[in-house]
Amino acid sequence: MDRIRIVGGNELHGVIPISGAKNAALPLMIASLLTDDTLTLENVPHLADVEQLIRILGNHGADISVNGRRERQGESYARTIHFTSRNIVSTTAPYELVSKMRASFWVIGPLLAREGKARVSLPGGCAIGTRPVDLFIEGLTALGAEIEIDGGYVNAKAPEGGLVGGRYVFPKVSVGATHVLMMAATLANGTTVIGNAAREPEVADLARCLNAMGARISGHGTSTITIEGVRSLSGARHRVLPDRIETGTYAMAVAMAGGDVILEDTEASLLDTALEAIRRAGAEISETNSGIRIVRNGCGIRPVDIVTDPFPGFPTDLQAQFMGLMTKSTGVSHITETIFENRFMHVQELARLGAKISLSGQTAKIEGVSRLKGAPVMATDLRASVSLVIAGLAAEGETMVSRVYHLDRGFERLEEKLTRCGAHVERVSD
Ligand code: UD1
């Protein structure tokens, strides 16, 4: 199994191209099941999660062709992928496929809307909390679906004549359930209003793509989304928006290691709250024509307290990375996680590098140390694993991160992007 070896101590200088957002690409790919026409997505990142979803969509009958695959060293992996689901050949998403990635559960929306039924295994995914599906069930029920859970599967059935528009106010913000309800409502009879909807940029990106396919969605990007159902959707061409989590991760890497880097093909407005926290920690951040420039020279890392929240708050997907940064701050900082109840698994691994962190409920107290020392550590989930890489960049000596398949789920060519900026990061195959 591959491992990542980091020798800390180098500053980062250069340009890092930011990939298309994984968390936008996945729901966009799933939306292709809503039409018998071709949906073409540009700027799709080359990641294990995308490959897994390609297999899942294939199981439902999607014909998928990939263009523009560039394998050359130093070039982007961004790909254009065409999805055509002329006929849905199966409305069942089996355990073997769904258990590998939680987002694959989201096929329930399009299958139910287009075929009137779906049988989808309860999901798996990162072990960062219980992650139930109650909000999906309540939301789809509000559109008239009858749903039962049986033998580890969610069986959903639309009324005769299809789903019907309805009103549903989420008791808690859920990105995935907002995606699913929005997709399902595009083909419902009548108008649907979703209250307390997720405002994440990836939700707005999905709505823009669905509208290009002929849907009638408004209010996306706000907490009330209105969807007027249409009879059918057509194909479209859509470019996946930049990955704000990857952007924030590299910004934190530069803040940690020091240096001067341009993050290309991304937008600061996608992650204002996180960039503000990095600025307060002592890095200079400015916008360029094509992205963001981040500089940290000499000065120490200042302690900054953060609380994760749904967008536009500080993203939970950057919490572990920010903790990595705070391990070397010049004082005491606090990080409170409000989205997932078990998202502190990186704490004990960061401690192996010499970090001083104590946990009290959902809050971590980080006492900055002046030096970290490299050690063998284990990746526990997607975002936690990259926090170990960030810490390793500023640790003395060698840090060896095992179980890097977690990283491969969400970070395209991580070691190459960092190496090109002067970091000593390499993949080691056993
Ligand atoms: C998405 C992101 C993930 C990110 C998360 C929060 C993708 C592929 N994944 O995950 O990277 O960390 O948003 O920004 O886009 N919940 C319920 N019942 C439900 C559904 C969710 O209680 O039916 C809870 C979850 O357990 C969690 C919270 O709601 O505590 C938010 O989860 P949600 O926004 O749904 O996360 P995902 O869509 O799975």
Side-chain angles (χ1 to χ4, degrees):
M1 219 180 285
D2 286 0
R3 291 178 294 167
I4 299 264
R5 177 172 177 267
I6 305 146
V7 181
N10 292 5
E11 286 198 348
L12 302 176
H13 290 269
V15 176
I16 298 181
I18 298 299
S19 301
K22 169 182 90 77
N23 285 357
L26 300 179
L28 289 165
M29 290 166 68
I30 289 172
S32 70
L33 292 175
L34 285 164
T35 174
D36 60 7
D37 209 344
T38 301
L39 176 65
T40 298
L41 297 176
E42 297 171 1
N43 200 30
V44 181
H46 191 218
L47 297 168
D49 273 10
V50 168
E51 300 311 300
Q52 175 65 10
L53 188 54
I54 284 177
R55 281 189 282 278
I56 288 165
L57 297 178
N59 169 64
H60 297 299
D63 186 26
I64 298 164
S65 65
V66 180
N67 278 351
R69 189 175 192 145
R70 290 180 292 177
E71 302 278 354
R72 282 227 319 270
Q73 279 275 320
E75 284 200 33
S76 163
Y77 254 157
R79 297 176 301 167
T80 296
I81 309 188
H82 310 276
F83 300 87
T84 314
S85 301
R86 200 74 67 210
N87 298 301
I88 301 289
V89 298
S90 167
T91 52
T92 298
Y95 174 72
E96 306 76 73
L97 293 176
V98 180
S99 59
K100 297 213 171 80
M101 179 179 52
R102 181 175 166 88
S104 44
F105 180 77
W106 302 348
V107 296
I108 194 168
L111 292 177
L112 188 58
R114 182 166 159 191
E115 297 295 306
K117 60 180 180 159
R119 176 172 159 77
V120 181
S121 167
L122 287 164
C126 281
I128 56 178
T130 48
R131 301 180 98 179
V133 294
D134 53 324
L135 303 178
F136 294 81
I137 293 175
E138 283 177 17
L140 292 171
T141 304
L143 301 190
E146 273 178 34
I147 299 181
E148 51 155 36
I149 298 181
D150 180 36
Y153 278 78
V154 176
N155 296 318
K157 208 161 141 279
E160 203 66 38
L163 293 172
V164 284
R167 284 186 79 85
Y168 182 67
V169 179
F170 281 109
K172 173 178 192 178
V173 176
S174 164
V175 174
T178 303
H179 283 316
V180 163
L181 206 50
M182 196 164 71
M183 286 192 276
T186 56
L187 293 179
N189 297 302
T191 300
T192 298
V193 179
I194 307 174
N196 199 22
R199 289 179 282 166
E200 269 64 7
E202 294 76 20
V203 172
D205 202 40
L206 175 63
R208 279 192 295 274
C209 177
L210 290 168
N211 281 344
M213 293 163 73
R216 297 211 186 117
I217 303 174
S218 58
H220 42 286
T222 77
S223 51
T224 305
I225 301 177
T226 304
I227 305 117
E228 275 176 66
V230 295
R231 292 189 79 82
S232 65
L233 295 177
S234 62
R237 195 176 179 95
H238 181 84
R239 187 174 170 80
V240 178
L241 94 172
D243 196 318
R244 64 194 166 98
I245 304 304
E246 192 195 22
T247 306
T249 299
Y250 288 122
M252 290 174 199
V254 179
M256 183 68 161
D260 184 347
V261 169
I262 290 182
L263 305 175
E264 219 172 39
D265 302 328
T266 186
E267 291 162 32
S269 61
L270 295 172
L271 68 161
D272 282 334
T273 311
L275 291 180
E276 187 48 36
I278 301 169
R279 231 180 238 126
R280 279 166 48 215
E284 287 166 41
I285 297 174
S286 52
E287 287 185 55
T288 68
N289 285 344
S290 62
I292 300 168
R293 180 174 175 199
I294 166 143
V295 183
R296 188 172 75 79
N297 285 327
C299 70
I301 298 165
R302 288 195 290 265
V304 177
D305 293 347
I306 56 141
V307 178
T308 63
D309 254 324
F311 191 86
F314 190 99
T316 175
D317 285 352
L318 286 173
Q319 180 257 105
Q321 296 89 315
F322 199 73
M323 192 180 296
L325 176 62
M326 287 297 106
T327 57
K328 275 199 83 178
S329 88
T330 53
V332 177
S333 59
H334 297 89
I335 295 184
T336 303
E337 171 60 52
T338 70
I339 310 288
F340 293 107
E341 73 270 25
N342 187 25
R343 207 170 203 184
F344 281 134
M345 285 174 303
H346 41 286
V347 167
Q348 60 189 32
E349 299 302 308
L350 288 169
R352 293 176 56 76
L353 301 175
K356 280 181 78 177
I357 307 170
S358 55
L359 282 178
S360 169
Q362 289 298 95
T363 299
K365 177 180 168 195
I366 305 112
E367 292 173 62
V369 294
S370 55
R371 54 190 283 259
L372 297 172
K373 198 158 177 307
V377 288
M378 198 192 288
T380 50
D381 76 53
L382 169 54
R383 310 302 178 182
S385 48
V386 81
S387 77
L388 301 172
V389 175
I390 289 181
L393 290 174
E396 290 167 17
E398 178 184 294
T399 298
M400 189 69 99
V401 184
S402 56
R403 298 204 180 163
V404 296
Y405 52 84
H406 288 296
L407 278 175
D408 294 335
R409 288 189 44 215
F411 288 91
E412 190 180 38
R413 298 175 154 209
L414 173 105
E415 62 273 26
E416 192 183 308
K417 289 185 183 186
L418 286 171
T419 304
R420 284 172 68 198
C421 289
H424 192 137
V425 180
E426 64 183 335
R427 187 172 288 254
V428 185
S429 299
D430 292 330

